[in-house]
C-alpha cells in the first residue's frame, strides 16, 4: 500500500478568464527563445494573464488517485482526477474567482529535474534552429519553464490527503502529467521528441515522496493504548522499505506518530478510567444481585423446605439458586446489548465517521458482545456464592418453621481450641496483603525502571481500587455507630424509651441485610465521587497542557517580520511593572530566531549526531533567565 508523489512549492497559478489573447497558442506563451522576451524578471503568463489580484503561490501535487483511493489515503475524497483535470483548494479558488469547470494555467519550472535526466543521455543528436547538438540538458537551462492548462474538476474537500500545515494546493494526475507536459513544452524542445529522447522516461523515477500506508483496518493499529507498542508496530512496518531504499539517503516522516505521542497519556488515562468504571459497575452488579437473591431466598425458604421434603437434593438446590440468578442477568444482558447496539449505531458510529473520518460498522463489535455475554455469566455465579451457602446451611426445621423470624438477632459461633486448621479469612487476607506488597515493592519500581506506562497505570489502578475497598470497609465498620447516632439525633429526644429500644433491636436483628444495603450505597457513592474528581482532575490537566504548549496565559509579539526595538521594550517593561502590577504576575522575553535576525549563513540550523545520517531543524532563540520558571 504505497504510492509516489511529486510536489512543487511556490508555483504560480492564473485564471484563464483574466488572460489577454489566446494563451493556448504556444507562440504567445513562448514568444522568444529566452524568457526575457516576455519582460524583465517576469514569466510570460505574468504578462498575458495578469489580473487585478495578487497571483497566488501554491504547492502542486502530482498524485495517483487510484492508488491513493485503494490505500485509503484521504477517504473523504474519492473523485477520480482525469487527464487535464485539477483539484484546487478553497482559498486559491476564492482568490482567482474559480468555479468547477474553470480553466487555470500553472507555470512550472522543470529545468533542474529534466536537465539531470538529459545529461545522462549521451550521443543523442537533434537539430534546433538549424544547429545540430547532442547536449539536451542545455536546452532546459535556456527554457526551463512550461505553462500548462488544467480544468478545475473539484474545489477543496480533500481531508486526509496532507498534513494540517498544507493550505494552498493544486492536485493533478500523476500518470497523465508527462503527456500533458509534452503537449505544452516550449516549441524549441519539440525536436527532442522526434529523436525519441523521451522513450525511456519514467515518471516513477522523479517522485519526490513515497507515501506508505498501513493495510486496511489500520484503525486497529492506532487503537493500541500504549504508545511504545504502537511505535514499535509502525517501525516494524516501515523498516523493510527503509532498508530497501537506504536509510541514509532518505528522510522519513511519520506524521501521525507525534500526534499520538501527545495523546498517549490522555488515552492511557481514559483507558484506566474506563477499566475502573467497568470494575465498579461489575462490583455493584454483584452486590445488587446478591442482595436480591438473599431477599428471594428468605421469602421462599418454606418452598425450598417443601421441595427438600419431596426429595430435592443439594445439587438441585444449587440449580434452583443459579436459575433464579440467571433470571436476573439474562434479561439485563439482552436489554443491555439491544440498548448498546442502538446507541452505537445511532450516536457512536456517526461521531467516529464525521469527527474522525473513520468508516465504522454500525453493528456492535464482536468483542463487546463477547464481553457482555461473559459478564452475564460471571456476575451471577459470583453473586450466588453466598446465597447458595446460605440455602445449604439452613436445616429443614428452620426453613419449615413459619413462627420464627428468618433473621437471627443473635448468632453464636463455637470453635474448638485444639483445632490446628487456619481460618479461611486468614488465608485470604494473607494472599491479598502479599499481592498488594508485591505490587508496591516489585511491580511499581519495575514499571518505573522499564518505563512501562501500561504496567504503571495498572499498578495505580489496583491502588485506587484498594483505596476504594478500604474506604468502603471503613464505612461498613462504622455502620453501627452511625445507626446509634442517627437514632439518638432524630428519635430519642421525642419518642418513648420503649420505641427507641424496639428500633435499636430491629436494627440489630437486620444488621446483615442492612450491611448489604449500606455496602451497595457506599460503593455507589464512592464511585460517583471518584468519577467526578477524576473528570475534574483531567479537565485541569488538559487546561494545563494547553497552557504549557502556549508557554503563558498571554503572549505578545510584533507584526510578522518586525522586531521590538529597545525603546519599545522599555515602554512594555514600564507598562507591565508599573501600570499593570495587579494583573501581571510575571513576564519574560524571548528573541526571534537567530536565523531570522542574521543573514550570514545561519539561516539553516540543524541538530544532528556524529554520523549525520539524521538531523532535526532547530530554532535558536535567546530567553530571559526566568523563562523556564
Amino acid at each position: 500500500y504505497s504510492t509516489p508523489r511529486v510536489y512543487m512549492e511556490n508555483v504560480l497559478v492564473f485564471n484563464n478568464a483574466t488572460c489577454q489573447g489566446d494563451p493556448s497558442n504556444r507562440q504567445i506563451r513562448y514568444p522568444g527563445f529566452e524568457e526575457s522576451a516576455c519582460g524583465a524578471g517576469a514569466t510570460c503568463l505574468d504578462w498575458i494573464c495578469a489580473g487585478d489580484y495578487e497571483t497566488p503561490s501554491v504547492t502542486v501535487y502530482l498524485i495517483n488517485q487510484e492508488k491513493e483511493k485503494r490505500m485509503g489515503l484521504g477517504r473523504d475524497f474519492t473523485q477520480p482526477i482525469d487527464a487535464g483535470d485539477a483539484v484546487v483548494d478553497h482559498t486559491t479558488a476564492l482568490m482567482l474567482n474559480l468555479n468547477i469547470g474553470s480553466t487555470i494555467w500553472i507555470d512550472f519550472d522543470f529545468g533542474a529535474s529534466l536537465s539531470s535526466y538529459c545529461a545522462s543521455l549521451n550521443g543523442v543528436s537533434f537539430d534546433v534552429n538549424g544547429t545540430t547538438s547532442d547536449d539536451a540538458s542545455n536546452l532546459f537551462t535556456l527554457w526551463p519553464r512550461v505553462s500548462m492548462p488544467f480544468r478545475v474538476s473539484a474545489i477543496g474537500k480533500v481531508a486526509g490527503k496532507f498534513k494540517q500545515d498544507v493550505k494552498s494546493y493544486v492536485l493533478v494526475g500523476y500518470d497523465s502529467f508527462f503527456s500533458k507536459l509534452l503537449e505544452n513544452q516550449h516549441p524549441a524542445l519539440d525536436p527532442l521528441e522526434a529523436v525519441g529522447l523521451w522513450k525511456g522516461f519514467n515518471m516513477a523515477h522523479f517522485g519526490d515522496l513515497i507515501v506508505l500506508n498501513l493495510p486496511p483496518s489500520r484503525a486497529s493499529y492506532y487503537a493500541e493504548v500504549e504508545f511504545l507498542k504502537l511505535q514499535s508496530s509502525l517501525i516494524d512496518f516501515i523498516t523493510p522499505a527503509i532498508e530497501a531504499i537506504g536509510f541514509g539517503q532518505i528522510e522519513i516522516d511519520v506524521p501521525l506518530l507525534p500526534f499520538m505521542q501527545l495523546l498517549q497519556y490522555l488515552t492511557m488515562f481514559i483507558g484506566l478510567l474506563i477499566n475502573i468504571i467497568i470494575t465498579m459497575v461489575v462490583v455493584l452488579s454483584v452486590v445488587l444481585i446478591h442482595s436480591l437473591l438473599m431477599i428471594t431466598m428468605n421469602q421462599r425458604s418454606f418452598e425450598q423446605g417443601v421441595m427438600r421434603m419431596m426429595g430435592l437434593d443439594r445439587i438441585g438446590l444449587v440449580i434452583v439458586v443459579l436459575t433464579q440468578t440467571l433470571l436476573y442477568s439474562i434479561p439485563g444482558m439482552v436489554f443491555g446489548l439491544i440498548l448498546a447496539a442502538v446507541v452505537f449505531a445511532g450516536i457512536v458510529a456517526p461521531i467516529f465517521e464525521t469527527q474522525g473520518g473513520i468508516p465504522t460498522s454500525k453493528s456492535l463489535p464482536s468483542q463487546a458482545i463477547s464481553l457482555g455475554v461473559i459478564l452475564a455469566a460471571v456476575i451471577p455465579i459470583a453473586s450466588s456464592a453466598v446465597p447458595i451457602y446460605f440455602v445449604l446451611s439452613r436445616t429443614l426445621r428452620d426453613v419449615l418453621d413459619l413462627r420464627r423470624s428468618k433473621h437471627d438477632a443473635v448468632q453464636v459461633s463455637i470453635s474448638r481450641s485444639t483445632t490446628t486448621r487456619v481460618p479461611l479469612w486468614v488465608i485470604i487476607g494473607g494472599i491479598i496483603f502479599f499481592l498488594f506488597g508485591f505490587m508496591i515493592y516489585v511491580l511499581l519500581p519495575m514499571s518505573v525502571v522499564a518505563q512501562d506506562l501500561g504496567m504503571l497505570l495498572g499498578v495505580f489502578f489496583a491502588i485506587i481500587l484498594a483505596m476504594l475497598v478500604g474506604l468502603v470497609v471503613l464505612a461498613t465498620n462504622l455502620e453501627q455507630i452511625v445507626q446509634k447516632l442517627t437514632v439518638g439525633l432524630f428519635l430519642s429526644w421525642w419518642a418513648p424509651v420503649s420505641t427507641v429500644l424496639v428500633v435499636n433491636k430491629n436494627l440489630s436483628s437486620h444488621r446483615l441485610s442492612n450491611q448489604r444495603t449500606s455496602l451497595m450505597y457506599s460503593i455507589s457513592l464512592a464511585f460517583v465521587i471518584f468519577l467526578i474528581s477524576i473528570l475534574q482532575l483531567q479537565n485541569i490537566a488538559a487546561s494545563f497542557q494547553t497552557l504549557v504548549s502556549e508557554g503563558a496565559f498571554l503572549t505578545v509579539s510584533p507584526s510578522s517580520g518586525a522586531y521590538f526595538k529597545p525603546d519599545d521594550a522599555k515602554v512594555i517593561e514600564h507598562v507591565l511593572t508599573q501600570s499593570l502590577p495587579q494583573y501581571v504576575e510575571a513576564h519574560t522575553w524571548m528573541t526571534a530566531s537567530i536565523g531570522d535576525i542574521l543573514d550570514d549563513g545561519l539561516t539553516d540550523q540543524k541538530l544532528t549526531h556524529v554520523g549525520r545520517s539524521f538531523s532535526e531543524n532547530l530554532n535558536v532563540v535567546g530567553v530571559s533567565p526566568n523563562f523556564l520558571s
Side-chain angles (χ1 to χ4, degrees), residues 110-306:
F110 294 109
S113 57
L114 295 182
S115 294
S116 62
Y117 169 74
C118 295
S120 62
L121 302 176
N122 298 323
V124 179
S125 299
F126 50 89
D127 179 75
V128 178
N129 295 334
T131 302
T132 303
S133 173
D134 60 356
D135 186 7
S137 61
N138 185 47
L139 295 178
F140 294 101
T141 304
L142 295 175
W143 306 296
R145 292 190 174 276
V146 180
S147 303
M148 302 168 59
F150 293 91
R151 186 187 72 89
V152 178
S153 61
I155 296 177
K157 296 295 183 181
V158 292
K161 287 286 187 183
F162 316 104
K163 295 190 291 185
Q164 295 180 354
D165 55 353
V166 178
K167 300 186 182 302
S168 300
Y169 57 84
V170 175
L171 307 183
V172 296
Y174 189 95
D175 296 330
S176 60
F177 183 79
F178 185 66
S179 60
K180 189 77 173 177
L181 184 149
L182 295 181
E183 295 175 4
N184 293 273
Q185 66 182 352
H186 196 289
L189 303 178
D190 290 342
L192 298 180
E193 186 176 4
V195 298
L197 184 68
W198 305 114
K199 286 184 178 180
F201 185 85
N202 189 351
M203 277 293 295
H205 297 166
F206 287 84
D208 298 312
L209 181 68
I210 299 177
V211 182
L212 280 76
N213 215 352
L214 293 166
S217 300
R218 61 182 180 273
S220 59
Y221 285 83
Y222 296 104
E224 175 59 53
V225 176
E226 292 190 40
F227 174 76
L228 293 178
K229 292 183 179 180
L230 171 62
Q231 185 181 38
S232 176
S233 63
L234 293 182
I235 291 175
D236 293 339
F237 174 76
I238 64 177
T239 297
I242 297 174
E243 291 180 347
I245 300 174
F247 76 95
Q249 305 177 28
I250 58 175
E251 292 185 5
I252 304 164
D253 182 23
V254 188
L256 281 180
L257 202 57
F259 179 73
M260 299 295 292
Q261 186 176 12
L262 292 175
L263 298 177
Q264 61 173 323
Y265 300 110
L266 177 61
T267 54
M268 282 187 155
F269 184 82
I270 292 176
L272 174 64
L273 187 61
I274 291 176
N275 290 333
I276 293 176
I277 292 174
I278 293 176
T279 304
M280 298 304 295
V281 170
V282 169
V283 172
L284 286 174
S285 301
V286 170
V287 175
L288 177 61
I289 295 179
H290 166 74
S291 300
L292 293 175
L293 276 178
M294 292 300 295
I295 295 173
T296 303
M297 294 302 105
N298 275 323
Q299 292 177 348
R300 302 181 60 182
S301 59
F302 183 78
E303 298 178 15
Q304 296 169 2
V306 173

Side-chain angles (χ1 to χ4, degrees), residues 16 23 42 67 79 98-99 147 154 174 199 204 226 272 278 321 343 420 422 425 439 462 493 523 558 595 613 622-623:
N16 183 72
K67 286 187 176 182
Q79 177 180 336
L98 297 176
N99 298 307
S147 303
Y174 189 95
K199 286 184 178 180
E226 292 190 40
L272 174 64
I278 293 176
V321 176
V343 172
T420 57
V422 180
W425 65 269
M439 177 182 61
W493 60 274
I523 294 176
S613 57
V623 297

Side-chain angles (χ1 to χ4, degrees), residues 295-486:
I295 295 173
T296 303
M297 294 302 105
N298 275 323
Q299 292 177 348
R300 302 181 60 182
S301 59
F302 183 78
E303 298 178 15
Q304 296 169 2
V306 173
M307 288 187 292
R308 290 170 63 179
M309 291 179 60
M310 298 177 63
L312 185 66
D313 56 3
R314 299 171 67 88
I315 297 178
L317 284 175
V318 173
I319 294 176
V320 169
V321 176
L322 291 178
T323 303
Q324 183 65 45
T325 308
L326 293 176
L327 290 178
Y328 293 131
S329 64
I330 292 179
M333 178 194 69
V334 174
F335 177 75
L337 290 178
I338 293 175
L339 181 62
V342 173
V343 172
F344 186 82
I347 300 177
V348 178
I351 290 177
F352 282 167
E353 291 183 356
T354 56
Q355 300 297 326
I358 302 175
T360 306
S361 174
K362 296 296 191 297
S363 59
L364 274 179
S366 58
Q367 297 90 336
I369 299 176
S370 301
L371 180 61
V373 174
I374 291 174
L375 290 178
V378 171
I379 290 176
I381 295 176
S383 59
S384 61
V386 176
I388 289 174
Y389 174 79
F390 172 77
V391 170
L392 296 180
S393 62
R394 302 294 294 271
T395 63
L396 188 59
R397 176 186 176 280
D398 292 335
V399 297
L400 293 177
D401 191 353
L402 298 178
R403 294 173 298 178
R404 292 185 55 193
S405 174
K406 299 300 184 294
H407 298 283
D408 297 328
V410 179
Q411 290 184 346
V412 179
S413 299
I414 301 175
S415 58
R416 295 180 180 273
S417 60
T418 57
T419 182
T420 57
R421 188 176 64 177
V422 180
L424 181 61
W425 65 269
V426 175
I427 298 175
I428 296 177
I431 293 175
I432 292 176
F433 287 129
F434 167 76
L435 293 177
F436 191 77
F438 180 80
M439 177 182 61
I440 295 297
Y441 294 104
V442 177
L443 294 184
L444 183 60
M446 183 186 301
S447 62
V448 174
V449 172
Q451 296 183 354
D452 191 341
L453 292 179
M455 183 186 297
L456 183 62
L457 286 180
V459 172
F460 284 153
F461 169 68
I463 293 175
I464 291 172
L465 288 183
M467 292 174 58
L468 290 177
V469 171
L471 292 175
V472 170
V473 172
L474 177 62
T476 304
N477 291 331
L478 296 176
E479 177 188 355
Q480 187 174 2
I481 300 176
V482 174
Q483 286 178 355
K484 291 183 177 180
L485 291 176
T486 303

Side-chain angles (χ1 to χ4, degrees), residues 565-577 589:
K565 297 179 181 179
D567 294 338
D568 299 332
K570 291 181 180 179
V571 174
I572 295 175
E573 284 279 354
H574 178 77
V575 171
L576 295 177
T577 56
W589 290 89

Side-chain angles (χ1 to χ4, degrees), residues 548-566:
V548 170
S549 64
E550 296 297 332
F553 288 102
L554 178 65
T555 58
V556 179
S557 59
S559 59
S560 178
Y563 308 105
F564 287 128
K565 297 179 181 179

